[in-house]
Amino acid sequence: MNKLKKAIIPAAGLGTRFLPITKVIPKPMLSVLDKPTIQYIIEELKDADIEEIIVVVSPNSDIIKNHFGKNEQLEQRLLSDGKQSLYEIAKETYKPNIKFVVQETANGLAGAILCAEPYVKDQPFALLLGDELLVADKGQKSCMKKLTEIYENTGKSVIATMEVFGDDVSKYGNLGIGNEQDGVMTVTDILEKPSVNEALSNNAIIGRYVISGEVMQLLKTLKPHGNEIYLTDALEHLAKKGQLLATCIEDDRYDVGDKFGYIRANVEMALKSKEIGEETKEYIKNLAKTL
Ligand code: UTP
């Protein structure tokens, strides 16, 4: 079996769609209810049993490192005040297994991946975009768990996809789809954000991947588009060789780096919350009457 051990979370983008908060706070630290998005992503990796995590950060973004570091004073205080459950919550965020690498210049997703090369070398890796939240139904496997299982059974790279329609097709990488078996599709081609007419299918690439080791070297050989190299160019290479798979994910997906995506994430997670779900529901019902 091909055991997947490593994961990269790029978290070094400029987040220009969410200024001014992203001037100092990286998008993956934007909070959905009481937790930063990146913490949900770390939990998704735990479900997939992947423990070697590399987070790519921008210069001066100690806030992410600090969140996953230890806060001795806070923990001691909660313990001495007898606030055991709050202590557990604070302790839970201490993740000494996470490694951080700095992307000095935000030159795109592929550039961020290349920064993690010293830790990944030629090994396969999971890639989880730091501003995308995927929530599986209760009792269901996480998206990353599903992708990991497909990779471990086939040894091929695999992309999570969702169906999108109308103008939304042009907002995402787009997949040409070949054979399908047991929910696993062969990818024949990839287009980066095509026009509606050019699109190969309704299958959009979402922010979860398992990528084979050869891609790291491949990225170095690609021709840039302006200053950026495209991950999709490397993935297209794999597709042409029949080495790229995709699977449809039906989880709730939120682009937390987009203002409306962020609001949806907070409202829907609040509705699901044990603590404030009921009052949120009442509030929304009453509010709706006034709209
Ligand atoms: P996006 O393209 O959504 O992020 O990257 P962005 O460029 O920060 O956002 P806008 O469009 O300006 O608002 C998806 C993920 O890749 C990371 C981002 O932090 C995000 O988690 N990323 C992007 C990097 O790590 N480095 C980059 O150079 C670009």
Side-chain angles (χ1 to χ4, degrees):
M1 196 176 72
N2 312 281
K3 175 81 183 107
L4 186 68
K5 294 187 180 143
K6 297 177 191 271
I8 303 175
I9 305 176
L14 296 177
T16 54
R17 284 172 295 157
F18 224 127
L19 282 167
I21 183 70
T22 46
K23 187 178 163 200
V24 175
I25 311 281
K27 276 195 298 186
M29 281 304 290
L30 292 178
S31 179
V32 175
L33 280 192
D34 47 10
K35 254 191 257 182
T37 306
I38 192 167
Q39 193 178 333
Y40 292 94
I41 295 175
I42 301 286
E43 288 168 6
E44 194 182 331
L45 281 170
K46 190 165 184 222
D47 184 62
D49 200 21
I50 298 174
E51 286 183 352
E52 289 179 49
I53 303 169
I54 302 116
V55 178
V56 184
V57 295
S58 57
N60 310 319
S61 59
D62 283 348
I63 185 171
I64 303 185
K65 277 187 219 166
N66 292 346
H67 181 76
F68 292 111
K70 210 162 178 53
N71 186 336
E72 202 75 60
Q73 201 185 7
L74 174 69
E75 288 181 21
Q76 284 313 319
R77 178 64 178 270
L78 292 171
L79 273 183
S80 62
D81 288 354
K83 295 182 173 162
Q84 187 66 28
S85 58
L86 292 180
Y87 165 74
E88 297 297 336
I89 292 171
K91 197 175 71 149
E92 176 64 24
T93 59
Y94 176 50
K95 303 284 179 201
N97 57 319
I98 299 178
K99 297 186 171 65
F100 295 91
V101 284
V102 175
Q103 183 182 18
E104 294 292 344
T105 311
N107 60 352
L109 178 58
I113 295 170
L114 280 170
C115 292
E117 191 194 2
Y119 291 114
V120 173
K121 300 196 173 79
D122 58 355
Q123 299 290 300
F125 59 92
L127 175 68
L128 302 93
L129 298 195
D131 56 352
E132 228 175 275
L133 175 59
L134 288 173
V135 183
D137 282 346
K138 242 194 156 65
Q140 296 296 310
K141 291 174 186 167
S142 68
C143 174
M144 212 55 240
K145 172 90 179 157
K146 288 181 195 154
L147 298 193
T148 303
E149 285 180 354
I150 296 171
Y151 168 76
E152 292 184 346
N153 288 331
T154 63
K156 293 185 182 178
S157 300
V158 45
I159 300 180
T161 171
M162 277 186 176
E163 284 201 312
V164 291
F165 299 93
D167 291 346
D168 281 350
V169 165
S170 310
K171 295 182 186 160
Y172 300 87
N174 187 263
L175 300 178
I177 299 294
N179 299 334
E180 175 169 357
Q181 205 184 355
D182 300 329
V184 181
M185 304 175 278
T186 304
V187 177
T188 55
D189 208 349
I190 299 195
L191 292 179
E192 175 81 18
K193 301 185 178 163
S195 69
V196 176
N197 295 333
E198 287 167 332
L200 305 165
S201 70
N202 292 101
N203 287 100
I205 300 178
I206 58 168
R208 299 290 186 270
Y209 315 66
V210 176
I211 296 180
S212 63
E214 70 188 279
V215 166
M216 205 54 102
Q217 296 309 317
L218 207 54
L219 286 175
K220 293 184 190 167
T221 67
L222 295 173
K223 261 186 46 202
H225 304 254
N227 288 330
E228 256 193 58
I229 41 171
Y230 286 177
L231 173 65
T232 40
D233 287 349
L235 297 177
E236 193 182 350
H237 240 78
L238 300 181
K240 297 281 184 238
K241 292 196 296 179
Q243 291 296 309
L244 186 60
L245 304 173
T247 193
C248 267
I249 296 297
E250 276 154 22
D251 299 4
D252 293 324
R253 171 183 173 275
Y254 308 98
D255 178 358
V256 176
D258 164 84
K259 284 176 198 163
F260 185 61
Y262 174 79
I263 293 299
R264 273 185 57 232
N266 274 287
V267 169
E268 293 184 23
M269 294 298 274
L271 284 169
K272 284 185 191 162
S273 154
K274 272 196 199 131
E275 195 183 336
I276 58 163
E278 274 312 310
E279 61 182 310
T280 305
K281 196 154 103 189
E282 278 312 304
Y283 166 69
I284 290 175
K285 278 186 186 165
N286 288 329
L287 183 66
K289 288 180 202 155
T290 69
L291 300 175

